[in-house]
Amino acid sequence: MRVGGGRDDEEVSRKLKSMDVDKLENGGGGGEESPHPPRPAVKYHGWKAMPFIIGNETFEKLGTLGTSANLLVYLTQVFHMRSVDAATLLNGLNGTTSLAPIIGAFLSDAYLGRYLALAIASVASLIGMFLLTLTAGADSLHPPECNVGETCEKATSYQFAVLFIAFAFLVLGSAGIRPCSMPFGADQFDPTTESGKRGINSFFNWYYFTFTAAMMVSATVIIYVQSNVSWPIGLGIPTALMFLACVLFFMGTRLYVRVTPEGSPFTSVVQVLSAALKKRSLKQPKDPKQDLFDPPHTSAIVTKLAHTDQFRCLDKAAIVASQDEVRPGGAAPADPWRLCSVQQVEEVKCLIRIVPVWSTGIIYYVAVVQQSTYVVLSALQSDRHLGRGGFQIPAASFTVFAMLAQTLWIPFYDRLLLPKLRKITGKEEGFTLLQRQGIGIALSTVAMVISAIVEDRRRAIALSQPTLGTTITGGAISAMSSLWMVPQLMILGLSEAFNLISQIEFYYKEIPEHMRSVAGALAFCNLALGNYLSGFLVTIVHRTTGSGQNWLAQDLNKGRLDLFYWTIAGIGVFNLIYFVICARWYRFKGASN
């Protein structure tokens, strides 16, 4: 039978949406149920709070991500690690750094709230950057320098221990900043007004614009200082910028709208699965509107979801097997582990529907993460001179071309192309979020094909023409200009502009509102698993081809990195086909039967 709902449900929702019911706070505390009178409606400051939030994110990215882009060079040249070992370690570190936001999102949504999670994470990142700077500045915390041709002394266990502690603090920082920063910024806009909705849509694009602009500065100026001037100074500058990020974030405290955590959002998910399992022997309800437990919706934050016919086995969690399962009044179950509401069931369905689309991002990121590993190694064995002068582009700075593509594309799309697309497609977002993700996957595959062609040319020139010297790791430097790598990086950056922004916005809009920190973590979870998968592929290829012509040899001229790129491109084609199937099957949140 159906308990509650109908006009009563709509009346309750209207009343609750007109006031704050302790679900939101503007700098204060609150709980799920409170004996105190309702507070006045939340005052949204919108764009006024953005200088502090986006400023914090900008300086944080200048400090942490800019340094991480050059870590491969740091590990090989300062800590004297083999390139394969350094790439594997970096894949693992990047994977852990990107997987940690899942834990941070859970703690944020369940206990801390996004503001406190960001505050703790910002301080942790500052400590991590300070320790990393010490590993470069203190002679006792890194191996002694060595010249080309000399046998380099390896780092001691103590030196690696300090380095890994620094990495641990950076991981802790990413656990809070990555999942919470963007949803926290979106929280500052009123989602019930047209200006607030447009503000949220523009915020995602402009947030990512400032993110990539900061990365461009970091990938040029900071990396140049690290590689050509001094590692202690080059790491000290990002540490100072991270300190400014902390100061700026705390300066805006009085303006922030803070969503109060409601307890673990995953408890409801487990309850639905448990109840459905216990009632698996019951028959499917003939009329879901009449036979399922659907009490009045009382949340002013979480959208009421209509019943859908996908994953109907979960509907059994909302079947009222006996009157004893419902408390007097019909608004709550007697045992939430045996009876769940339609709303709870539909929220779980939302999460399950997202999983196939989300999984395509794992393979997509295998192509993206090559920017920080083998693209850097290829650049080291190419002619990096700019013009006829003696200036050389730092190898890790080549990621700036991917960022440049993103930085140019985002304002062009948001200000020029999007208004025209709205007229053509009749959709507020121009291309749908799924269409933009698909375009990004296709472009990443094209980038890998071009990467394979360029690497084959670089290697052929190194083997057939005079070389320009030797790297510190012993590989001959090809006479091919490293600028030939720019097109593949620009296309890869454009693919990120399509895929990454739309991914985050897709999760933010499709996941129930009380799980939005989880939404912010999902894209980074993809990046984490993409790094792990890339590291796994590197290991498999290295072991499989190591007995003959190793594709990923220490000296790339003796390897076949181009075949590795072709392999990733082939995987990308299958991933694109899989994505199209998932996108056609997907049903957006709020769509009824």
Side-chain angles (χ1 to χ4, degrees):
M1 71 176 200
R2 185 177 185 271
V3 183
R7 293 185 178 179
D8 293 336
D9 188 358
E10 296 176 4
E11 183 65 23
V12 171
S13 295
R14 279 198 298 270
K15 288 181 179 180
L16 290 176
K17 287 181 180 178
S18 65
M19 61 184 70
D20 180 340
V21 289
D22 277 347
K23 296 295 184 181
L24 285 175
E25 59 175 354
N26 192 3
E32 187 173 6
E33 296 180 4
S34 174
H36 303 292
R39 297 181 180 181
V42 173
K43 184 178 181 180
Y44 292 91
H45 291 281
W47 289 107
K48 290 183 180 179
M50 291 306 105
F52 303 100
I53 295 174
I54 294 181
N56 165 263
E57 178 72 7
T58 301
F59 284 121
E60 188 270 332
K61 291 298 178 287
L62 277 169
T64 56
L65 289 186
T67 298
S68 67
N70 209 21
L71 275 180
L72 186 69
V73 178
Y74 185 67
L75 293 175
T76 54
Q77 295 189 357
V78 177
F79 273 73
H80 306 153
M81 294 181 66
R82 292 191 311 161
S83 58
V84 170
D85 295 335
T88 302
L89 173 61
L90 197 56
N91 278 323
L93 174 64
N94 290 337
T96 304
T97 302
S98 299
L99 194 61
I102 288 292
I103 300 174
F106 167 75
L107 294 175
S108 170
D109 282 340
Y111 306 108
L112 300 176
R114 286 187 268 278
Y115 171 80
L116 185 57
L118 282 169
I120 295 172
S122 296
V123 175
S125 290
L126 177 61
I127 296 173
M129 287 302 305
F130 177 73
L131 291 175
L132 188 61
T133 304
L134 282 182
T135 64
D139 292 339
S140 61
L141 296 181
H142 63 260
E145 295 183 9
C146 67
N147 298 317
V148 176
E150 296 180 355
T151 301
C152 297
E153 184 178 328
K154 295 183 179 181
T156 65
S157 299
Y158 170 72
Q159 291 167 342
F160 271 123
V162 176
L163 180 68
F164 289 157
I165 291 174
F167 288 164
F169 274 101
L170 292 176
V171 169
L172 179 60
S174 71
I177 292 175
R178 290 189 175 188
C180 298
S181 184
M182 189 172 287
F184 184 68
D187 287 341
Q188 310 310 310
F189 296 93
D190 187 353
T192 63
T193 65
E194 285 300 319
S195 61
K197 292 177 182 178
R198 284 185 174 270
I200 291 174
N201 288 334
S202 292
F203 167 74
F204 282 107
N205 282 332
W206 288 104
Y207 177 96
Y208 203 69
F209 172 79
T210 58
F211 166 85
T212 52
M215 283 295 293
M216 285 181 62
V217 175
S218 185
T220 51
V221 178
I222 293 177
I223 287 179
Y224 177 80
V225 174
Q226 291 173 349
S227 301
N228 297 86
V229 179
S230 166
W231 277 103
I233 296 175
L235 291 173
I237 293 174
T239 303
L241 291 173
M242 190 63 232
F243 175 76
L244 290 177
C246 293
V247 172
L248 200 58
F249 176 75
F250 290 114
M251 284 176 61
T253 297
R254 63 184 180 84
L255 294 176
Y256 300 146
V257 171
R258 294 182 243 171
V259 178
T260 305
E262 299 181 343
S264 172
F266 296 107
T267 300
S268 179
V269 175
V270 178
Q271 286 175 341
V272 170
L273 298 177
S274 174
L277 182 63
K278 291 175 181 177
K279 296 182 176 181
R280 62 187 181 278
S281 59
L282 297 180
K283 294 182 179 180
Q284 291 289 351
K286 296 181 179 179
D287 185 359
K289 292 184 178 181
Q290 297 297 325
D291 299 335
L292 298 181
F293 179 62
D294 192 12
H297 187 63
T298 58
S299 176
I301 304 302
V302 182
T303 304
K304 170 67 176 175
L305 299 178
H307 177 266
T308 59
D309 59 4
Q310 286 183 318
F311 311 112
R312 293 193 63 192
C313 59
L314 295 177
D315 289 345
K316 294 182 179 181
I319 296 177
V320 182
S322 66
Q323 290 296 328
D324 295 338
E325 291 186 344
V326 183
R327 288 183 181 179
D335 181 2
W337 292 91
R338 189 163 187 85
L339 178 64
C340 301
S341 66
V342 171
Q343 176 72 14
Q344 288 177 279
V345 172
E346 290 303 321
E347 288 176 359
V348 175
K349 290 182 181 181
C350 283
L351 296 178
I352 296 175
R353 276 194 290 266
I354 285 174
V355 170
V357 176
W358 168 82
S359 66
T360 63
I362 300 173
I363 301 175
Y364 164 75
Y365 276 112
V366 173
V368 174
V369 298
Q370 302 310 315
Q371 294 180 70
S372 60
T373 53
Y374 280 99
V375 168
V376 176
L377 295 175
S378 293
L380 285 171
Q381 290 192 237
S382 304
D383 182 7
R384 292 180 284 117
H385 289 90
L386 192 62
R388 297 183 178 180
F391 177 77
Q392 289 192 73
I393 304 173
S397 291
F398 276 84
T399 57
V400 75
F401 294 108
M403 300 170 200
L404 179 62
Q406 298 168 32
T407 306
L408 294 176
W409 172 256
I410 290 171
F412 172 76
Y413 179 81
D414 192 67
R415 295 301 179 187
L416 299 177
L417 186 59
L418 184 56
K420 296 181 180 179
L421 285 173
R422 284 171 178 160
K423 295 178 181 179
I424 296 173
T425 64
K427 299 180 182 296
E428 180 69 20
E429 66 270 34
F431 290 122
T432 67
L433 294 174
L434 290 175
Q435 287 172 341
R436 283 155 57 187
Q437 288 184 56
I439 293 172
I441 293 174
L443 288 174
S444 70
T445 303
V446 173
M448 284 296 98
V449 170
I450 296 176
S451 298
I453 295 172
V454 171
E455 171 57 24
D456 182 60
R457 175 180 172 81
R458 187 207 62 78
R459 177 175 172 273
I461 291 176
L463 295 177
S464 61
Q465 298 181 19
T467 56
L468 304 180
T470 306
T471 66
I472 193 171
T473 57
I477 300 174
S478 172
M480 187 196 82
S481 171
S482 55
L483 295 179
W484 280 100
M485 299 167 63
V486 171
Q488 71 198 48
L489 290 168
M490 294 283 281
I491 294 174
L492 207 53
L494 191 59
S495 83
E496 281 192 87
F498 271 102
N499 190 279
L500 181 57
I501 299 175
S502 55
Q503 261 198 73
I504 296 175
E505 188 175 350
F506 174 74
Y507 302 142
Y508 181 85
K509 290 181 176 179
E510 291 299 301
I511 282 182
E513 288 82 350
H514 58 299
M515 300 183 186
R516 277 179 172 168
S517 293
V518 176
L522 282 178
F524 291 108
C525 185
N526 270 342
L527 180 57
L529 296 177
N531 272 284
Y532 289 140
L533 181 57
S534 176
F536 176 73
L537 284 175
V538 168
T539 302
I540 293 299
V541 169
H542 185 68
R543 291 181 177 179
T544 303
T545 63
S547 58
Q549 184 181 28
N550 191 344
W551 288 7
L552 304 177
Q554 177 80 358
D555 180 1
L556 295 182
N557 299 330
K558 299 178 181 179
R560 291 301 304 269
L561 180 60
D562 56 316
L563 297 182
F564 181 63
Y565 285 150
W566 279 115
T567 301
I568 297 175
I571 295 173
V573 171
F574 286 103
N575 190 42
L576 179 60
I577 296 171
Y578 171 58
F579 174 82
V580 171
I581 295 172
C582 294
R584 291 179 65 87
W585 168 83
Y586 187 79
R587 178 178 294 165
F588 283 89
K589 185 178 77 173
S592 63
N593 293 332

